[in-house]
Amino acid sequence: MPSVPHPIPYQGSKRRLAPRILKHVPARVDRLIEPFAGSAALSLAAASHQRAASFLLGDSLPDLAALWQAILDHPEHLADDYARLWHAQHDDPHAFYDDVRATWNRQGGPARLLFLLARCVKNAVRFNADGAFNQSPDHRRRGTRPERMRQHLLGAHALLHGRTRAVAADYAELLAEARTTDLVYLDPPWEGTSTHRDPRYHQGLDRPRFLRDIESLLDRGVPFLISLDGRLGSRTYGQPLPDSLGLTRLELPAGRSSQATLHGSTARTIESLYLSPSLARHH
């Protein structure tokens, strides 16, 4: 697979898994919908292989949707703003990061969010109970260099501009407009990393509601793929989807866990991919 731009560093991104997931995407669909867009890794991979005529990216975090809109509309300006932030951090990186984080929590801003994602520990978005971004900076690095970030931003723009819509919305709003000629890819936060006891993301996943929404897609004949649960060695994350939905469950090797590597472990991550019946019949 050719190199695919990846401008938004995001823990949980399916960048490494995208080639494996893409094998289960039809040769051509009218529109690929990612209601939990995040880094939009699958849309970027699909666009690079001309697998969809258009794309719909959605995220319930408004500034993440705004970041994608900035990539679609004016990537050069975004690259300039990111570069200014990146170069301004060097006198006191930790204090500068804290200032950008505090400013983003008050005022938002796509370039600030991009800087925080590039600089924070493990590129992991974390929010406190009040909804404020509270992840710490990674002291070992300074984030993606501006020249490389510009390449990724312009590359993503070239792939998606003119045929992509980015919206801040609850995932169900995007599912409601999905048609049988579309393909929906659902990649919600893993259960176990977004519960009330561990509120890392700005919004968790309501499992009963999610299951009802999947049933609605099935009733309407909309093809879809879901990444939901997984395991690291003997430790599992999230509950498998019920057999009663009639989905085909595949296990995709996602490589060695970075956390496991730090601790000298050989454990590897396995992620589940669920195929709707119409997709499973073609594989």
Side-chain angles (χ1 to χ4, degrees):
M1 173 173 281
S3 177
V4 177
H6 191 71
I8 300 179
Y10 212 72
Q11 187 183 64
S13 168
K14 294 302 184 290
R15 182 184 187 185
R16 287 193 296 177
L17 271 183
R20 294 179 182 272
I21 298 173
L22 206 59
K23 292 179 180 179
H24 305 284
V25 172
R28 186 74 170 176
V29 297
D30 283 354
R31 181 174 55 169
L32 177 57
I33 302 175
E34 280 203 69
F36 301 93
S39 69
L42 188 65
S43 288
L44 290 168
S48 72
H49 283 72
Q50 302 179 5
R51 303 293 280 274
S54 63
F55 300 86
L56 175 56
L57 306 178
D59 204 279
S60 57
L61 181 61
D63 254 28
L64 190 54
L67 176 52
W68 272 114
Q69 197 62 56
I71 293 170
L72 297 172
D73 292 344
H74 42 81
E76 288 280 11
H77 292 164
L78 179 60
D80 290 343
D81 290 344
Y82 174 85
R84 279 191 288 270
L85 290 169
W86 192 90
H87 286 295
Q89 70 178 315
H90 293 295
D91 288 342
D92 190 341
H94 195 154
F96 184 81
Y97 176 94
D98 288 348
D99 182 63
V100 173
R101 185 178 63 186
T103 303
W104 184 82
N105 280 328
R106 293 193 308 270
Q107 303 175 14
R112 295 188 190 102
L113 178 58
L114 184 59
F115 175 79
L116 292 174
L117 292 173
R119 279 285 284 114
C120 70
V121 174
K122 300 179 186 176
N123 304 124
V125 183
R126 296 291 184 267
F127 294 87
N128 63 23
D130 296 323
F133 188 101
N134 67 345
Q135 182 62 293
S136 301
D138 190 327
H139 300 297
R140 299 168 302 170
R141 55 185 181 80
R142 296 292 181 263
T144 308
R145 295 189 63 84
E147 308 81 35
R148 183 168 177 79
M149 180 62 79
R150 186 178 297 273
Q151 291 176 351
H152 283 293
L153 291 170
L154 295 179
H157 172 85
L159 286 175
L160 299 176
H161 175 68
R163 55 176 178 154
T164 303
R165 186 159 56 99
V167 297
D170 179 80
Y171 75 91
E173 295 180 39
L174 276 66
L175 297 187
E177 67 171 86
R179 304 181 296 263
T180 56
T181 54
D182 296 328
L183 174 66
V184 176
Y185 174 59
L186 295 158
D187 182 24
W190 274 8
E191 294 172 297
T193 61
S194 58
T195 62
H196 293 298
R197 290 174 298 174
D198 191 10
R200 302 181 186 182
Y201 300 106
H202 81 109
Q203 188 175 85
L205 182 67
D206 181 336
R207 184 179 175 89
R209 177 189 175 218
F210 186 66
L211 294 179
R212 291 193 298 270
D213 290 330
I214 294 172
E215 291 172 348
S216 175
L217 290 177
L218 290 168
D219 291 342
R220 290 154 48 205
V222 176
F224 61 87
L225 299 160
I226 304 174
S227 293
L228 184 65
D229 55 288
R231 55 187 171 88
L232 172 60
S234 60
R235 184 178 181 183
T236 60
Y237 295 88
Q239 302 175 41
L241 291 171
D243 293 339
S244 58
L245 292 173
L247 309 180
T248 298
R249 181 174 180 258
L250 307 175
E251 287 197 327
L252 306 182
R256 191 176 182 185
S257 161
S258 57
Q259 188 68 20
T261 301
L262 289 173
H263 291 87
S265 170
T266 59
R268 294 183 180 274
T269 302
I270 302 293
E271 296 195 16
S272 296
L273 180 70
Y274 295 86
L275 280 61
S276 63
S278 61
L279 291 180
R281 285 195 293 270
H282 290 88
H283 293 277

